[in-house]
């Protein structure tokens, strides 16, 4: 066996180290923030794993993108958005929907991360409200909706398409009642119905067990990843969008939706038409 000199060994080790450094230099770290305690979207479990639908999607995307390494954190939404705007975080997630105002501040994915399934929530003994048409053709009261919410767009769009029989409802501010407070108000008869994503209802219902039920889907709207505008993230956005589309096409997002949301939102009627993250009319 040929013996290696000390100089040869040192040279070989140095070459390996240089190669490893070059490889590491080609990998870009992406700082990702999710909202803390927001099961089933983003949360940290008892074993300190970042999990929930959004984080699990990102883990699969990270596996596909060898040029990136994802680094996760979770914090309150206000701090998250401030950090994203400043460039502390590159990407933020928590089943976020887009708005014109939000997209003026942040960049965003162009492929939906998930589909949020909006339902009407009514009391268990309410048999007359099973659709938006039923609500529009009654004198029953829908709970207020924040004006910058995707749910507001769903009702507003319905009213524009049905000017003779619009649904009566009030706009509200971001500081309005929580989902739990609103659903309690429906259960107590303050309102006759509320509109929320199915997952929002199920998460509250699991804790409170209110005397409520849900209708079939009344609208689907896309959720997005948000990106900082403090840095040029165009290459990252393009890479993540490509991986997202692959995960939708091969059925992976459907499986994650079933696991975390309790339903495959991608198989609901009309889901195949939701391919854009812009759901409002200009």
């Amino acid at each position: 066996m040929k013996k290696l000199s000390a100089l040869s060994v040192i040279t070989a080790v140095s070459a390996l180290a240089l190669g490893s450094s070059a490889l590491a230099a080609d990998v870009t770290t992406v700082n990702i923030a999710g909202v803390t305690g927001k099961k089933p979207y983003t949360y940290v479990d008892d074993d300190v794993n970042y999990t929930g639908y959004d984080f699990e999607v990102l883990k699969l995307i990270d596996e596909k993108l060898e040029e990136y390494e994802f680094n996760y954190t979770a914090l309150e939404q206000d701090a998250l958005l401030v950090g994203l705007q400043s460039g502390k975080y590159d990407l933020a997630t928590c089943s976020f929907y887009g708005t014109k105002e939000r997209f003026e501040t942040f960049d965003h994915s162009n492929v939906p991360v998930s589909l949020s399934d909006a339902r009407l929530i009514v009391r268990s003994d309410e048999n007359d409200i099973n659709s938006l048409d039923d609500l529009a053709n009654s004198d029953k009261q829908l709970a207020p909706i924040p004006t910058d919410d995707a749910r507001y767009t769903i009702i507003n769009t319905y009213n524009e398409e049905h000017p003779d029989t619009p649904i009566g409802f009030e706009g509200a501010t971001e500081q309005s009642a929580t989902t739990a407070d609103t659903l309690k108000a429906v259960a107590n008869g303050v309102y006759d119905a509320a509109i929320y994503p199915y997952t929002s209802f199920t998460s509250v219902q699991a804790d409170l067990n209110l005397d409520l039920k849900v209708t079939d889907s009344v609208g689907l709207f896309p959720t997005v990843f948000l990106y900082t505008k403090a840095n040029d993230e165009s290459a990252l956005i393009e890479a993540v969008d490509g991986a997202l589309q692959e995960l939708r096409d091969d059925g992976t997002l459907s499986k994650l939706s079933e696991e975390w949301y309790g339903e495959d939102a991608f198989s609901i009627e009309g889901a195949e038409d939701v391919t854009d993250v812009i759901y409002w009319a200009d």
Side-chain angles (χ1 to χ4, degrees), residues 29-34 44 49-51 54-63 69-75 89 91 93:
T29 298
V30 179
N31 292 311
I32 294 174
V44 183
N49 295 313
Y50 291 89
T51 189
D54 291 50
F55 276 145
E56 295 302 328
V57 169
L58 283 163
K59 290 175 186 177
L60 293 175
I61 291 172
D62 192 13
E63 291 178 6
E69 179 179 348
F70 290 179
N71 179 49
Y72 303 94
T73 190
L75 65 165
Y89 306 110
L91 182 159
T93 188

Side-chain angles (χ1 to χ4, degrees), residues 21-33 58 62 65-73 84 87-92 227-228 231-233 235-237 239-240:
S21 298
L23 182 61
D26 291 336
V27 176
T28 301
T29 298
V30 179
N31 292 311
I32 294 174
L58 283 163
D62 192 13
L65 304 181
E66 296 181 357
E67 67 272 35
Y68 294 103
E69 179 179 348
F70 290 179
N71 179 49
Y72 303 94
T73 190
L84 184 66
K88 180 178 181 179
Y89 306 110
D90 303 297
L91 182 159
Y227 296 84
T228 185
N231 309 307
D232 180 8
E233 303 292 357
L236 175 63
I237 294 171
V240 171

Side-chain angles (χ1 to χ4, degrees), residues 194-248:
I195 180 172
Y196 277 103
Y198 179 64
T199 48
S200 295
F201 167 75
T202 55
S203 61
V204 170
Q205 186 69 343
D207 292 332
L208 300 180
N209 194 27
L210 299 169
D211 190 23
L212 298 172
K213 63 182 180 180
V214 296
T215 67
D216 291 337
S217 180
V218 298
L220 291 169
F221 55 93
T223 67
V224 298
F225 294 141
L226 297 176
Y227 296 84
T228 185
K229 283 188 174 182
N231 309 307
D232 180 8
E233 303 292 357
S234 55
L236 175 63
I237 294 171
E238 182 178 358
V240 171
D241 280 348
L244 264 177
Q245 190 62 57
E246 290 177 6
L247 292 172
R248 180 169 181 172

Side-chain angles (χ1 to χ4, degrees), residues 238-259:
E238 182 178 358
V240 171
D241 280 348
L244 264 177
Q245 190 62 57
E246 290 177 6
L247 292 172
R248 180 169 181 172
D249 291 343
D250 68 14
T252 299
L253 295 188
S254 288
K255 292 177 182 177
L256 288 174
S257 180
E258 288 180 340
E259 177 182 353

